[in-house]
């Protein structure tokens, strides 16, 4: 346990039943870290990579023993290079990872990985504004700008006026080099535009190590979005293979943990089916959000080791 840290979970439960709640109902709970993870005392090969923990007190996700060996890049000067490593085979197209296969040949992706994502389904609060109650006001010449300057437009309307709901991404540069470890390193600069105007610059660096691919992303907002009061999202989109249908994470759970219901969730290691994260709200919107997540892992339920 020392490799992953030691934790104390405390619960207060009802000693007797009440008219509204049954005996044993939890009324308060908290989790405390007793011993921080120790990178010098791995409990097993699967817990050996504790130095990769995101922050103090977090236990790293399950992974196989660290693999060593040569990482080979082929076709680095072309549009579809391939990286072959002892732990995986990665194929790229237009500077994006489009295939990531395990040594056994199993595909882990269902589409391009790590695509920039700056939009999401708007919530009811995002729709609040004059345009929500009188949508045709946005079609009146000159009125849209006046409502915007007065702060009377909804976030959703301003996002769409800036083109965030229909962004296009283009590659400005893509350069291969060697990392300090002697493994292939790809640096990509992308420009994300809305309504024909550059809104974001995204710098992504892929480091292809023998047993994993490390991704470092830096985003810079540009002038067309500086006037927006808020952004719908700053993130990445990754399409995983459907067989990876089990989600395990260290963070708030088991249900949603948005700010208005975060206090009702426990901070611990949780496990659930990916499909169970969907919430069929009457008005479609974002759902399944988890707060304070240190790591998350997608695994195949049929694989005992979680690979």
């Amino acid at each position: 346990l020392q490799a992953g840290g030691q934790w104390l979970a405390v619960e207060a439960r009802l000693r007797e039943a009440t008219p509204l709640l049954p005996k044993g109902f939890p009324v308060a709970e908290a989790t405390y870290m007793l011993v921080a993870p120790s990178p010098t005392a791995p409990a097993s090969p699967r817990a050996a990579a504790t130095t990769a923990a995101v922050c103090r007190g977090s236990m790293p996700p399950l992974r196989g023993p660290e693999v060593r060996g040569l990482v080979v890049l082929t076709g680095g000067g072309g549009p579809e290079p391939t990286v072959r490593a002892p732990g995986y085979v990665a194929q790229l197209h237009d500077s994006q990872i489009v295939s990531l296969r395990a040594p056994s040949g199993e595909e882990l992706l269902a589409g391009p990985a790590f695509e920039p994502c700056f939009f999401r389904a708007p919530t009811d609060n995002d729709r609040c504004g004059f345009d929500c109650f009188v949508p045709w006001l946005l079609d009146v010449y000159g009125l849209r700008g006046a409502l915007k300057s007065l702060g009377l437009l909804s976030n959703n309307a301003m996002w769409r006026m800036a083109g965030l709901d229909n962004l296009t991404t283009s590659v400005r540069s893509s350069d291969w080099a060697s990392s300090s470890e002697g493994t292939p390193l790809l640096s990509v600069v992308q420009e994300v535009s809305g309504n024909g105007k550059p809104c974001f610059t995204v710098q992504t660096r892929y480091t292809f190590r023998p047993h994993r691919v490390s991704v470092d992303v830096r985003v810079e907002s540009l002038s067309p979005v500086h006037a927006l009061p808020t952004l719908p999202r700053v993130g990445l989109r990754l399409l995983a293979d459907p067989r990876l249908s089990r989600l395990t994470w260290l963070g708030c759970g088991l249900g949603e943990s948005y700010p208005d219901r975060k206090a009702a969730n426990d901070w611990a290691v949780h496990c659930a089916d990916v499909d169970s994260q969907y919430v069929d709200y009457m008005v479609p919107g974002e759902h399944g959000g988890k707060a304070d997540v240190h790591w998350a892992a997608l695994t195949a339920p049929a694989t005992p080791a979680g690979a």
Side-chain angles (χ1 to χ4, degrees):
L1 288 176
Q2 188 178 0
Q6 295 183 19
W7 304 83
L8 174 65
V10 180
E11 282 189 340
R13 293 176 175 267
L14 289 178
R15 185 175 181 178
E16 302 292 341
T18 70
L20 296 178
L21 299 173
K23 177 181 177 180
F25 185 87
V27 294
E29 50 201 350
T31 304
Y32 304 92
M33 182 181 68
L34 300 181
V35 179
S38 171
T40 60
S44 68
R46 289 188 178 277
T50 51
T51 54
V54 175
C55 60
R56 177 180 175 87
S58 67
M59 184 170 60
L62 298 176
R63 63 177 64 178
E66 184 169 315
V67 180
R68 300 183 182 276
L70 188 64
V71 183
V72 179
L73 168 66
T74 58
E80 297 184 349
T82 300
V83 178
R84 300 184 183 277
Y88 61 88
V89 176
Q91 292 182 324
L92 295 89
H93 178 75
D94 289 341
S95 304
Q96 274 192 308
I97 298 177
V98 295
S99 174
L100 189 64
R101 299 194 306 276
S104 59
E106 296 175 312
E107 179 61 59
L108 304 179
L109 301 178
F114 310 116
E115 289 184 304
C117 180
F118 296 97
F119 197 72
R120 59 168 170 77
T123 64
D124 288 346
N125 290 340
D126 297 326
R127 296 187 178 94
C128 288
F130 271 31
D131 53 286
C132 177
F133 304 102
V134 192
W136 56 264
L137 289 176
L138 297 179
D139 299 325
V140 179
Y141 179 78
L143 191 54
R144 177 188 297 188
L147 292 173
K148 180 180 179 181
S149 63
L150 293 173
L152 298 177
L153 288 181
S154 67
N155 287 336
N156 183 43
M158 288 188 285
W159 294 341
R160 294 179 183 276
M161 287 168 58
L164 297 187
D165 62 325
N166 190 26
L167 295 170
T168 58
T169 303
S170 59
V171 177
R172 289 173 49 185
S173 65
S174 178
D175 302 298
W176 286 96
S178 292
S179 68
S180 58
E181 305 167 8
T183 59
L185 186 151
L186 174 62
S187 298
V188 181
V189 178
Q190 297 170 295
E191 188 174 81
V192 182
S193 302
N195 294 335
K197 299 179 180 179
C199 296
F200 304 94
T201 297
V202 181
Q203 302 177 47
T204 308
R205 184 177 63 186
Y206 302 92
T207 304
F208 297 89
R209 295 183 170 89
H211 60 293
R212 69 179 188 269
V213 181
S214 300
V215 183
D216 180 84
V217 182
R218 299 177 184 273
V219 177
E220 178 185 358
S221 63
L222 304 178
S223 56
V225 297
H226 287 173
L228 295 176
T230 183
L231 292 173
R233 168 171 288 159
V234 178
L236 299 172
R237 182 186 296 110
L238 187 149
L239 299 177
D241 189 277
R243 68 183 181 83
L244 303 176
S245 60
R246 181 173 58 193
L247 174 65
T248 308
W249 72 97
L250 172 60
C252 291
L254 184 63
E256 296 181 326
S257 52
Y258 292 103
D260 61 345
R261 70 203 79 170
K262 180 179 174 181
N265 285 265
D266 299 329
W267 192 85
V269 176
H270 301 280
C271 185
D273 291 336
V274 171
D275 288 345
S276 68
Q277 306 309 306
Y278 174 73
V279 181
D280 190 15
Y281 288 120
M282 184 178 297
V283 177
E286 184 178 337
H287 54 265
K290 314 296 180 189
D292 299 338
V293 174
H294 289 199
W295 57 260
L298 288 171
T299 58
T303 306

